[in-house]
Amino acid sequence: MIFIVAGVSGSGKSTIGIKLAEKLKIPFYDGDDFHPEANKAKMKSGTPLNDEDRKPWLENLNKNMREWEQKKGAVLACSALKEDYREILANGIRGPLVWVFLKGTKELLQERMEARKGHFFSPALLDSQLQTIVYPTYSLTVDIALSPDQIVNKIMENSSSEIGLIGLGVMGRSLALNMADKGFVVSVYNRVAPGEETIVKDFIDALEPNQQVRGYTSLPDFVKSLKKPANIIIMVSAGKAVDQVIESLKPYLASGDLIIDCGNSHFEDTGLRTKTLAEAGIEFMGTGVSGGEKGARFGPSIMPGGNPTIYKRVQPVFEQISAKDEDKNPCCTYIGPEGSGHFVKMIHNGIEYAEMQILAEAYFVMKNGLAMNNEQIADEFETWIESGQGSYLLEITVSILRKKEKGTYLLDAILDKAGQKGTGSWSSEFAFRSGIPLNTISEAVQARQVSALKNYRTKMGSLYSLSGESNFSATAKELQQAVYLATMVNHHIGFSAIKEASKERDWNVDLSETARIWTNGCIIRSELMKKLALELQNSEGVLESAWIKERVEDSFESLKKVLSNSILSNIPTPVMNTSLQYLLSITNERLPANLIQAQRDYFGAHTYQRLDGGDEFFHSNWE
Ligand code: NDP
């Protein structure tokens, strides 16, 4: 390993370099000793060196560095003020090259230079150096106000980054800052795409002095900067981008290095990537992260899936950066092997889709059924929060309802066409393929799809004038109960899917722990979730809990009344309606599926089972 201790004159490069070399038991070299005599004479006379003067000097240093790295490594003190100089120094260096920049105020530097005796450098050149120096994004930067021992210790502790992160988008930036705040030394990388050349530099320039983050636009240098075996988070757009990043990383990774995909990847892709990378000796984990930009920055809910032994390597990082529950435990728990972390995140997002739609339906019922204005709806939602039915989504809904721009409500100006990115529809696709029902979630996805048909809806609205009643007789209190019931059913559906998928795949996902890590940091955190974390310790599922059962039975009539009134008043409430239909079906021992079986057997000889026939299948001649 080669350490370059750099900085302007007077920053203490030689003092620190010598001490560091002593501690590391490797040779120390002072870059100034490698200057040709002509350069030394020029400096002594107070004339600054130009780039032409420096070139042979830097090339000579680079030649020596290549030799040093073949032996024990070395510490080199060298000003390395500009990127051009650093490129010459780093050219062809194979092993880790640790850049340490000593940084201090002009006053302190001046004071130290004036105190020096018998040094050939004139303090008058300090200004020119300070104007020239461009601090690199990838260096460890240490404040020269610290004592030499403190500086050396800091360099020793932080010479390699504990963790790497690829993708400085909305989530990646926030996660990197969160890790740096918790004292982890982080290396970050972002590709250089046209028009985005300064992403890494801008990110590093905006860091607080206490945040140790090194920024790279070269993948090999990024990987070299990491402790071995390397732990690398990738936070890039799901799909092709993940595979592209993995492929470009692979040539620089060694056996045992770990890639953790923290984006919203499909759980089956994660399972496949885990297997493929294992063949190359590379560990892979799929980890769900929820909480949006703010969550990632200050404490998300984290759902890691993969090899449990390998997870231990990053567990301290994830636990420290995650949100904390009411008992101050991390909102991060090992979910299970393979793609289980991403599966649980997918269901989290599915629950989120339906919760958002339920609140949107409640808003629509209050607006169109109860003729309430935005402020009244916000006031009503606030009473729900106060009565113990609070959630993050409800809280932001109150703020959204009250938000005004230029004196008018912003919400009223927003086009009623909902977008989506994928995890909701992945849940529905999973439901259809696996036979595990996700009724409320699928309905919420389809409600967004119908909303997106804005032009067609407008056309059909003018084509039809369907009769409806204006007399909406359910109350806001009954609506609150209806929403609560729909929410409980929606959570039951989501947790049941996790339970069934986990059983099928031997993932052994702990439902209560899953609910616990969703009590803070994530988008679906709520008072109900806190209760579920407790209830699911002893209950097989959400609706099986005695506490939930009591509330479902209490709210049942209200849900029916709200839905029947909504139907009579022509107010669409698809997810609340689906929650009732699911509840009616799941609690009904007899459904009309006997007729469906008979029809299938009639036209397609698909056979059927009989109530009195055990496991046997029958076929009838129906004509
Ligand atoms: P952004 O669009 O803000 O950032 C995407 C990042 O991926 C950028 O750094 C981008 O680089 C990089 N990238 C895209 N394509 C490639 C590629 N082919 N090769 C290399 N890098 C690439 O997305 P987010 O940060 O919002 O999301 C990242 C992941 O996190 C996604 O999977 C998302 O679903 C998930 N997520 C997002 C949440 C959110 O609230 N935003 C919440 C939870 C998870 P460049 O800048 O050069 O284009």
Side-chain angles (χ1 to χ4, degrees):
M1 197 183 246
I2 300 221
F3 289 77
I4 299 194
V5 182
V8 295
S9 206
S11 57
K13 298 184 290 289
S14 305
T15 313
I16 299 302
I18 290 165
K19 265 188 167 292
L20 181 64
E22 269 170 14
K23 274 228 169 172
L24 293 168
K25 299 192 171 47
I26 55 178
F28 167 79
Y29 300 97
D30 191 328
D32 284 347
D33 296 342
F34 293 76
H35 270 294
E37 284 309 318
N39 284 3
K40 284 187 188 172
K42 219 172 167 183
M43 288 191 285
K44 219 175 225 168
S45 69
T47 318
L49 299 179
N50 59 32
D51 285 357
E52 231 169 87
D53 299 326
R54 286 191 182 97
K55 196 161 181 262
W57 168 59
L58 292 165
E59 284 171 348
N60 183 26
L61 279 173
N62 171 258
K63 189 171 142 264
N64 280 284
M65 283 163 66
R66 292 182 195 211
E67 284 167 18
W68 300 334
E69 79 165 344
Q70 299 301 320
K71 298 174 188 162
K72 288 178 84 179
V75 177
L76 171 69
C78 177
S79 48
L81 301 184
K82 294 204 294 194
E83 192 58 26
D84 290 353
Y85 309 162
R86 295 187 286 264
E87 268 171 21
I88 300 175
L89 287 171
N91 182 28
I93 301 297
R94 295 200 354 252
L97 180 56
V98 181
W99 291 91
V100 180
F101 269 76
L102 302 175
K103 205 171 177 181
T105 61
K106 187 179 167 191
E107 293 69 33
L108 186 53
L109 289 163
Q110 193 119 31
E111 195 182 293
R112 293 203 177 160
M113 288 181 74
E114 276 159 8
R116 285 195 197 172
K117 287 193 184 99
H119 198 271
F120 62 80
F121 204 102
S122 155
L125 292 184
L126 180 60
D127 274 340
S128 125
Q129 290 209 342
L130 284 173
Q131 273 162 17
T132 311
I133 192 162
V134 180
Y135 290 99
T137 57
Y138 45 80
S139 75
L140 178 66
T141 308
V142 191
D143 187 350
I144 61 166
L146 297 173
S147 73
D149 281 338
Q150 283 172 318
I151 294 176
V152 169
N153 286 341
K154 204 159 185 159
I155 298 170
M156 303 266 293
E157 280 163 20
N158 300 333
S159 58
S160 308
S161 297
E162 276 144 301
I163 195 142
L165 183 142
I166 294 180
L168 286 177
V170 172
M171 293 295 282
R173 267 198 309 267
S174 303
L175 271 188
L177 292 175
N178 187 349
M179 292 190 284
D181 276 353
K182 301 292 177 312
F184 295 105
V185 183
V186 188
S187 288
V188 295
Y189 166 88
N190 201 86
R191 66 175 175 175
V192 180
E196 296 180 336
E197 290 80 5
T198 60
I199 287 184
V200 172
K201 186 175 180 315
D202 294 346
F203 178 76
I204 298 293
D205 286 350
L207 290 172
E208 301 288 332
N210 63 329
Q211 292 168 326
Q212 281 298 350
V213 183
R214 279 175 255 199
Y216 295 86
T217 49
S218 142
L219 265 184
D221 289 349
F222 163 79
V223 175
K224 268 191 235 164
S225 73
L226 303 170
K227 277 193 183 131
K228 293 288 163 197
N231 299 319
I232 301 170
I233 292 175
I234 56 179
M235 200 64 185
V236 299
S237 321
K240 267 196 206 139
V242 174
D243 289 319
Q244 282 168 358
V245 169
I246 292 172
E247 280 312 307
S248 50
L249 249 182
K250 259 165 73 179
Y252 311 109
L253 297 183
S255 176
D257 286 348
L258 166 66
I259 301 176
I260 312 146
D261 175 11
C262 283
N264 277 338
S265 291
H266 194 287
F267 75 98
E268 285 171 347
D269 289 345
T270 301
L272 211 63
R273 287 172 186 142
T274 308
K275 283 200 185 84
T276 317
L277 284 164
E279 285 160 18
I282 294 162
E283 303 289 345
F284 187 76
M285 289 183 63
T287 294
V289 174
S290 173
E293 182 178 16
K294 222 170 162 187
R297 177 68 187 87
F298 300 107
S301 171
I302 306 181
M303 296 146 247
N307 180 330
T309 312
I310 294 298
Y311 169 59
K312 290 202 164 45
R313 272 166 47 183
V314 284
Q315 187 175 357
V317 180
F318 283 175
E319 290 192 348
Q320 285 201 52
I321 64 168
S322 69
K324 303 295 172 287
D325 68 12
E326 280 192 317
D327 297 323
K328 308 226 171 347
N329 294 314
C331 287
C332 168
T333 196
Y334 173 72
I335 298 290
E338 304 157 10
S340 59
H342 275 144
F343 178 84
V344 165
K345 174 69 197 314
M346 177 185 82
I347 297 296
H348 165 285
N349 285 20
I351 295 174
E352 177 186 307
Y353 266 56
E355 289 303 298
M356 290 167 75
Q357 176 67 26
I358 291 168
L359 290 180
E361 290 172 14
Y363 149 75
F364 214 43
V365 166
M366 282 195 246
K367 191 174 154 121
N368 296 313
L370 296 169
M372 291 163 73
N373 63 31
N374 289 3
E375 288 296 336
Q376 289 168 325
I377 299 172
D379 289 346
E380 179 61 29
F381 278 151
E382 269 180 343
T383 68
W384 298 11
I385 295 171
E386 282 154 21
S387 69
Q389 208 174 306
S391 69
Y392 167 73
L393 283 170
L394 194 51
E395 282 166 20
I396 64 165
T397 304
V398 170
S399 306
I400 290 166
L401 281 158
R402 296 200 198 283
K403 172 80 178 169
K404 281 186 179 173
E405 260 183 20
K406 294 184 189 142
T408 57
Y409 288 100
L410 178 56
L411 181 59
D412 297 344
I414 294 180
L415 182 67
D416 51 329
K417 243 175 112 167
Q420 51 185 317
K421 275 198 170 163
T423 38
S425 52
W426 289 350
S427 303
S428 305
E429 283 164 20
F430 167 77
F432 292 128
R433 276 192 287 118
S434 66
I436 297 172
L438 283 163
N439 309 44
T440 42
I441 295 171
S442 298
E443 193 58 50
V445 172
Q446 290 176 85
R448 289 196 193 186
Q449 289 165 345
V450 171
S451 84
L453 305 173
K454 175 72 177 174
N455 293 341
Y456 187 57
R457 284 194 285 119
T458 308
K459 181 179 145 199
M460 296 305 277
S462 60
L463 185 63
Y464 279 79
S465 97
L466 298 172
S467 62
E469 281 183 17
S470 54
N471 180 22
F472 190 94
S473 67
T475 63
K477 176 78 196 151
E478 284 163 333
L479 178 62
Q480 179 183 357
Q481 287 191 307
V483 164
Y484 203 29
L485 203 169
T487 293
M488 290 186 277
V489 170
N490 180 40
H491 281 71
H492 173 80
I493 288 172
F495 278 102
S496 298
I498 296 175
K499 184 172 133 187
E500 293 308 318
S502 168
K503 214 189 300 170
E504 245 168 50
R505 292 163 174 77
D506 279 333
W507 283 345
N508 209 14
V509 179
D510 184 327
L511 294 190
S512 155
E513 265 293 278
T514 304
R516 187 191 64 72
I517 65 164
W518 288 348
T519 60
N520 201 5
C522 71
I523 305 295
I524 58 171
R525 60 188 186 261
S526 66
E527 291 305 313
L528 175 65
M529 197 66 82
K530 289 179 192 164
K531 194 66 196 166
L532 292 183
L534 297 174
E535 291 301 307
L536 288 169
Q537 283 176 0
N538 302 311
S539 173
E540 269 180 56
V542 175
L543 290 179
E544 285 90 337
S545 136
W547 188 90
I548 293 284
K549 179 171 174 281
E550 198 183 322
R551 273 139 197 92
V552 166
E553 286 169 353
D554 271 0
S555 310
F556 186 55
E557 289 307 318
S558 294
L559 179 61
K560 286 200 293 186
K561 191 167 168 194
V562 166
L563 289 178
S564 53
N565 271 271
S566 300
I567 289 168
L568 292 173
S569 307
N570 295 353
I571 304 171
T573 50
V575 171
M576 282 207 275
N577 185 40
T578 299
S579 71
L580 177 70
Q581 296 301 334
Y582 176 87
L583 184 65
L584 292 179
S585 301
I586 211 76
T587 54
N588 210 325
E589 198 205 332
R590 286 297 304 234
L591 290 174
N594 51 339
L595 177 57
I596 291 173
Q597 285 301 78
Q599 290 164 336
R600 292 177 70 234
D601 191 51
Y602 190 113
F603 63 70
H606 291 302
T607 74
Y608 57 88
Q609 287 174 287
R610 293 179 55 95
L611 287 167
D612 55 3
D615 292 336
E616 208 179 327
F617 283 83
F618 299 87
H619 168 59
S620 295
N621 182 358
W622 293 94
E623 287 179 356

